[in-house]
């Protein structure tokens, strides 16, 4: 059962060579469960599902050849020569990469790597790599590099500032209930609205310490008329501008 459930989750994280070695175990587990009758564990796979809390896009396809080359290069700390399709220019470019890490995010997997001749690390979507060749030379990455720190610094979340900021908003009763059960952050309070504030009945004041990243802003957009944002002011201005553009678009 563990092999069966793990296969789907590990597919975008394992080096291809490891996946190849585990393939017989995965197949055996699948066949074994399929042939069990009247066993609770065999039925378990029909009774549990893991769902994302937002719209899940279909994963971008990655050829087995590309996945094998990239993961083996990363696994063995080898440089890569890749042909990469740029989203900005819609043209292919040749890159000599020093791979540092691999991040699976939503429906896209990214190679964290340094381009030969540059010191900064960048992210390359694996489905845009059209050709990859493992080179004999070892990858040269700063020994102090830490993937968890890299992620925590907001490199994947389009963060506008490193330090946390305060979010202040009026929220609908249903959203207040949800955020009490599953808080937006560890530093959060939901209180009655201050005196004199006009709002629909039952609305409350949310105050939370957050990272100023695009994911939080997109979450606010998705709430539509269940939230009225007061701070940060930069986001308030951005939302107002978006509303004007939407009005023009739908008119």
């Amino acid at each position: 059962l563990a092999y069966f459930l793990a296969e789907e989750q590990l597919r975008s994280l394992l080096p291809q060579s490891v996946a190849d070695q585990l393939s017989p175990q995965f197949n055996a587990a699948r066949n074994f469960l399929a042939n069990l009758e009247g066993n609770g564990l065999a039925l378990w796979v029909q009774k549990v599902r893991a769902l994302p809390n937002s719209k899940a896009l279909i994963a971008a396809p990655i050829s087995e050849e590309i996945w094998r080359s990239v993961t083996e290069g990363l696994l063995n700390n080898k440089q890569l020569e890749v042909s990469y399709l740029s989203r900005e220019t819609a043209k292919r470019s040749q890159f000599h990469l020093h791979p540092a890490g691999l991040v699976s995010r939503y429906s896209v997997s990214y190679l964290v790597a340094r381009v030969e001749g540059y010191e900064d690390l960048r992210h390359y979507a694996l489905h845009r790599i059209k050709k990859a060749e493992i080179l004999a030379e070892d990858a040269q990455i700063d020994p102090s590099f830490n993937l968890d720190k890299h992620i925590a610094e907001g490199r994947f979340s389009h963060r506008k500032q490193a330090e946390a900021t305060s979010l202040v908003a009026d929220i609908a009763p249903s959203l207040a209930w949800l955020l009490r059960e599953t808080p937006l952050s560890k530093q959060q309070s939901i209180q009655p609205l201050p005196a004199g504030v006009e709002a629909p009945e039952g609305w409350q004041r949310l105050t939370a310490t957050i990272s100023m990243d695009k994911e939080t802003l997109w979450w606010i957009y998705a709430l539509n008329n269940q939230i009225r944002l007061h701070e940060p002011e930069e986001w308030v201005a951005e939302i107002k501008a978006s509303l004007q553009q939407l009005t023009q678009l739908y008119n």
Side-chain angles (χ1 to χ4, degrees), residues 194-238:
V197 175
E198 294 185 6
E201 183 179 357
W203 279 51
Q204 300 184 56
R205 175 62 57 88
L206 166 68
T207 304
T209 301
I210 61 161
S211 297
M212 202 166 176
D213 53 51
K214 282 292 186 182
E215 281 77 5
T216 306
L217 181 58
W218 294 336
W219 173 79
I220 293 171
Y221 274 122
L223 293 171
N224 294 307
N225 60 351
Q226 299 296 300
I227 186 170
R228 179 184 178 185
L229 189 68
H230 297 291
E231 296 178 16
E233 294 182 356
E234 180 179 344
W235 281 0
V236 174
E238 188 169 338

Side-chain angles (χ1 to χ4, degrees), residues 31-214:
N31 294 333
F32 183 78
L33 287 174
N35 291 325
L36 285 178
E37 295 182 2
N39 186 296
L41 293 179
L43 297 175
W44 184 260
V45 296
Q46 302 174 23
K47 297 179 178 180
V48 296
R49 294 292 182 271
L51 297 177
N53 61 358
S54 60
K55 173 62 178 176
L57 302 178
I58 298 174
I62 303 170
S63 75
E64 183 175 325
E65 180 182 354
I66 296 298
W67 180 259
R68 183 181 299 276
S69 295
V70 170
T71 56
E72 291 304 308
L74 178 62
L75 177 66
N76 297 306
N77 194 44
K78 295 298 182 181
Q79 298 177 30
L80 296 169
E81 188 74 34
V82 305
S83 175
Y84 189 76
L85 178 63
S86 170
R87 186 174 65 177
E88 287 75 18
T89 64
K91 296 180 179 179
R92 292 192 186 187
S93 300
Q94 293 291 127
F95 289 133
H96 189 163
L97 297 179
H98 297 254
L102 184 68
V103 175
S104 179
R105 188 170 186 266
Y106 305 132
S107 54
V108 178
S109 292
Y110 294 92
L111 176 67
V112 182
R114 177 179 70 84
V115 177
E116 177 70 20
Y118 296 87
E119 296 300 321
D120 60 317
L121 291 170
R122 301 181 183 181
H123 305 155
Y124 299 90
L126 261 63
H127 65 277
R128 297 196 197 107
I129 297 178
K130 302 306 178 183
K131 185 178 179 181
E133 178 185 354
I134 303 175
L135 303 179
E137 296 80 10
D138 289 342
Q140 303 298 320
I141 296 295
D142 186 343
S144 65
F145 170 73
N146 182 282
L147 186 58
D148 288 328
K149 181 181 178 182
H150 184 79
I151 295 171
E153 289 172 347
R155 303 301 181 89
F156 281 89
S157 57
H158 310 287
R159 190 178 297 177
K160 290 193 174 183
Q161 59 186 42
E163 63 275 10
T165 190
S166 178
L167 180 146
V168 179
D170 301 336
I171 57 176
S174 58
L175 180 57
W177 185 289
L178 173 66
L179 291 179
R180 284 194 176 97
E181 294 181 328
T182 55
L184 182 60
S185 75
K186 294 182 179 180
Q187 296 79 38
Q188 170 187 291
S189 69
I190 298 176
Q191 304 292 338
L193 292 177
V197 175
E198 294 185 6
E201 183 179 357
W203 279 51
Q204 300 184 56
R205 175 62 57 88
L206 166 68
T207 304
T209 301
I210 61 161
S211 297
M212 202 166 176
D213 53 51
K214 282 292 186 182

